[in-house]
Amino acid sequence: MVRATSNRPESTRRRQRWPDGYDPENTRKSLIASALELFERRGFDRTSVQEIADRAKLTKGAFYHHFESKDDLLRHIQEEYLEAQLAAIAKIEAGSDDPKVRVAELIRFSLTSVAEYRAHVTIFYQERRNLTADLFAEVTRKRGLVESAFAGMIADGVARGAFRSDVDPRIATFGLVGMCAWAYQWLNVGGPLSVDEVARQFSAMVLEGLYA
Amino acid sequence: MVRATSNRPESTRRRQRWPDGYDPENTRKSLIASALELFERRGFDRTSVQEIADRAKLTKGAFYHHFESKDDLLRHIQEEYLEAQLAAIAKIEAGSDDPKVRVAELIRFSLTSVAEYRAHVTIFYQERRNLTADLFAEVTRKRGLVESAFAGMIADGVARGAFRSDVDPRIATFGLVGMCAWAYQWLNVGGPLSVDEVARQFSAMVLEGLYA
DNA sequence: ACAATGCTACCGTCCGGTCGGAAGGAATGG
DNA sequence: CCATTCCTTCCGACCGGACGGTAGCATTGT
């Protein structure tokens, strides 16, 4: 439970040259990749630092050279995912302002990111409580921004008469977010259901309803 | 990770009488209650048996008298929840066979059970992987029955023309289940949103759509 | 020389689980 | 009615192992 950030100022770090194209930053990446896989499959608590190092064909010493603590690594993973989320939201908000289009876009984007960042997402939702209190608050805040985007678009749709007036934007948002977030439990990239098809079905269900 | 069931054959157990209405079965219950609270708040792995015992004003010795292992307790909690789920499903299936009514009922029931069994639900979804492989399979199977109920009702609605013909029952089911299951992340009984109101909104959104 | 990188060995702590036994009601037998 | 034994419940000390993290050193490129 060590505090303190480990943000290494990339700009001030002189990169060392290693033989035959070896890049020391790769070890960091492979440690993260190793952790992503292990955390996703067995959870944060049941994955030891030793195992993370082993899987990356390194040692604990190397791990603790690159990360302050196990928590620090978790934090890194969470932020990696959140940054991607926020960037994508911004892109959608810069596009069409038709509420229907926006909601459909948001659904599709959410599902895409679940498929793409599967391990990140799983870890994000399952291991949030392992963060320190203040870090948890920060992560929750950023996550709230994503949900606010949903809520804002729906509220906008209601205000402009595109959506039914008796829709409660907060509740509808919870439903939408849940629908999409839950996909991390069952949606696999190689599976029988394509992301686009799922997105289309979800949009149709939510926008037009199931009724014939 | 001990196997073996701890099902004590109640019928063959002679109950002992204790002074002033003391019931030894209360010990078991308070251990479970203690664990429910701690598992929900801090997770299975980060809760020690000692803490569970402490909170119930007992000792580890007492705990291991009533449960075979920590896993055994988790298993007990999971099954407690699943039994309640399956019973409720059966009740709905015995009621109206109008697909629209059934889907609405299922949504309301799902949300109600999330509100009522909040700790159980949280633990169920977050700690499934801590079960042994075969127990996990069993739990997943039972959970599958619940989801099959959703899927069956939607497929039925499509077949009978109540729902649009281009709806994929599998995907719609995933959406519905996700919407409801996700409620464990935000729905609180004492909160500003009543379960019935949320259920009505969800039903309207899914059945009639958002469009004005 | 120096900084970055990675390795080995080690430490203190905590945790799941075990074990022998204490307390005391229930059953038995006289 | 008392004495003995048995069973259930619970206690508390303890064990073995695993885990997060540290310290010191070896190697290598600049």
Side-chain angles (χ1 to χ4, degrees):
Chain A
M1 292 295 178
V2 185
R3 194 52 35 81
T5 77
S6 76
N7 281 338
R8 301 178 309 165
E10 293 290 335
S11 53
T12 66
R13 272 186 71 235
R14 277 169 315 182
R15 292 293 276 286
Q16 218 170 15
R17 278 280 144 262
W18 290 85
D20 58 33
Y22 176 82
D23 182 353
E25 197 67 13
N26 279 343
T27 55
R28 201 180 157 85
K29 287 218 181 79
S30 67
L31 282 168
I32 293 173
S34 168
L36 275 175
E37 152 115 23
L38 290 170
F39 287 169
E40 179 184 7
R41 202 171 54 225
R42 321 210 323 233
F44 181 80
D45 288 309
R46 291 171 102 95
T47 301
S48 72
V49 173
Q50 185 66 61
E51 288 169 324
I52 295 171
D54 284 351
R55 194 170 193 289
K57 300 217 194 301
L58 290 164
T59 62
K60 261 208 302 191
F63 178 95
Y64 279 98
H65 176 72
H66 288 280
F67 297 96
E68 274 191 3
S69 64
K70 198 183 169 190
D71 287 332
D72 184 37
L73 169 59
L74 178 59
R75 165 178 166 274
H76 182 91
I77 290 174
Q78 306 281 52
E79 287 183 349
E80 212 169 75
Y81 170 62
L82 277 174
E83 294 311 318
Q85 289 274 100
L86 292 176
I89 291 284
K91 221 170 85 183
I92 291 179
E93 281 179 333
S96 165
D97 75 335
D98 178 349
K100 301 170 190 174
V101 174
R102 280 190 161 188
V103 166
E105 279 293 295
L106 214 39
I107 289 175
R108 196 152 65 92
F109 148 69
S110 294
L111 293 173
T112 304
S113 79
V114 163
E116 200 172 345
Y117 283 83
R118 190 195 179 74
H120 284 82
V121 175
T122 303
I123 295 165
F124 180 80
Y125 288 125
Q126 307 237 356
E127 317 292 353
R128 268 183 294 181
R129 58 178 151 207
N130 287 321
L131 295 166
T132 55
D134 51 351
L135 208 45
F136 177 85
E138 172 66 7
V139 160
T140 301
R141 191 186 63 80
K142 283 191 183 166
R143 175 67 198 166
L145 293 179
V146 176
E147 292 181 8
S148 295
F150 267 95
M153 292 177 191
I154 292 175
D156 187 47
V158 172
R160 289 160 63 180
F163 298 154
R164 300 207 329 271
S165 60
D166 58 346
V167 168
D168 182 327
R170 290 171 307 167
I171 300 182
T173 298
F174 281 131
L176 270 176
V177 168
M179 248 173 61
C180 297
W182 199 250
Y184 87 87
Q185 297 251 10
W186 53 270
L187 183 63
N188 5 31
V189 280
L193 269 32
S194 90
V195 173
D196 274 352
E197 173 62 12
V198 174
R200 241 180 300 129
Q201 288 275 337
F202 276 11
S203 295
M205 181 165 86
V206 165
L207 293 174
E208 300 166 33
L210 291 175
Y211 281 172
Chain B
M1 291 292 179
V2 184
R3 193 50 35 83
T5 76
S6 77
N7 282 337
R8 300 178 308 166
E10 291 290 335
S11 52
T12 66
R13 272 184 71 235
R14 277 168 314 184
R15 292 293 278 288
Q16 220 171 11
R17 279 278 144 263
W18 289 87
D20 58 33
Y22 176 81
D23 182 356
E25 198 67 14
N26 280 342
T27 316
R28 203 178 156 84
K29 287 219 181 78
S30 66
L31 282 169
I32 293 174
S34 169
L36 276 174
E37 152 114 22
L38 290 170
F39 287 169
E40 179 184 7
R41 202 170 56 224
R42 319 208 326 229
F44 181 79
D45 287 310
R46 291 172 100 94
T47 301
S48 72
V49 173
Q50 185 66 62
E51 288 168 325
I52 295 171
D54 284 351
R55 194 171 193 287
K57 298 215 194 304
L58 291 164
T59 61
K60 263 209 299 191
F63 179 95
Y64 279 99
H65 175 72
H66 288 281
F67 297 97
E68 274 190 4
S69 64
K70 199 183 168 189
D71 288 332
D72 184 38
L73 169 60
L74 178 59
R75 165 178 167 275
H76 182 91
I77 291 174
Q78 307 280 52
E79 288 185 348
E80 213 169 74
Y81 170 61
L82 277 174
E83 294 310 317
Q85 290 274 98
L86 292 176
I89 290 286
K91 221 170 85 183
I92 291 178
E93 282 179 333
S96 165
D97 75 335
D98 177 350
K100 302 170 190 175
V101 174
R102 280 191 162 187
V103 167
E105 279 293 294
L106 214 38
I107 289 175
R108 196 152 65 89
F109 147 70
S110 295
L111 293 173
T112 304
S113 80
V114 163
E116 200 171 347
Y117 284 82
R118 188 193 181 76
H120 284 82
V121 175
T122 304
I123 295 165
F124 180 81
Y125 288 125
Q126 308 237 0
E127 317 292 353
R128 267 184 295 182
R129 60 177 147 210
N130 287 320
L131 295 166
T132 55
D134 51 351
L135 208 46
F136 177 84
E138 171 66 7
V139 160
T140 301
R141 192 187 62 81
K142 283 191 183 167
R143 175 66 198 167
L145 293 178
V146 176
E147 291 181 8
S148 295
F150 267 95
M153 293 177 191
I154 292 175
D156 187 47
V158 172
R160 289 159 63 180
F163 297 153
R164 299 207 330 269
S165 61
D166 58 344
V167 168
D168 182 327
R170 291 171 306 169
I171 301 182
T173 297
F174 280 131
L176 270 176
V177 168
M179 247 173 60
C180 296
W182 199 250
Y184 87 88
Q185 297 252 10
W186 54 270
L187 184 63
N188 6 30
V189 280
L193 271 31
S194 90
V195 173
D196 274 352
E197 173 62 13
V198 173
R200 241 179 300 128
Q201 288 274 338
F202 276 11
S203 295
M205 182 165 85
V206 165
L207 293 173
E208 301 165 34
L210 291 175
Y211 280 171

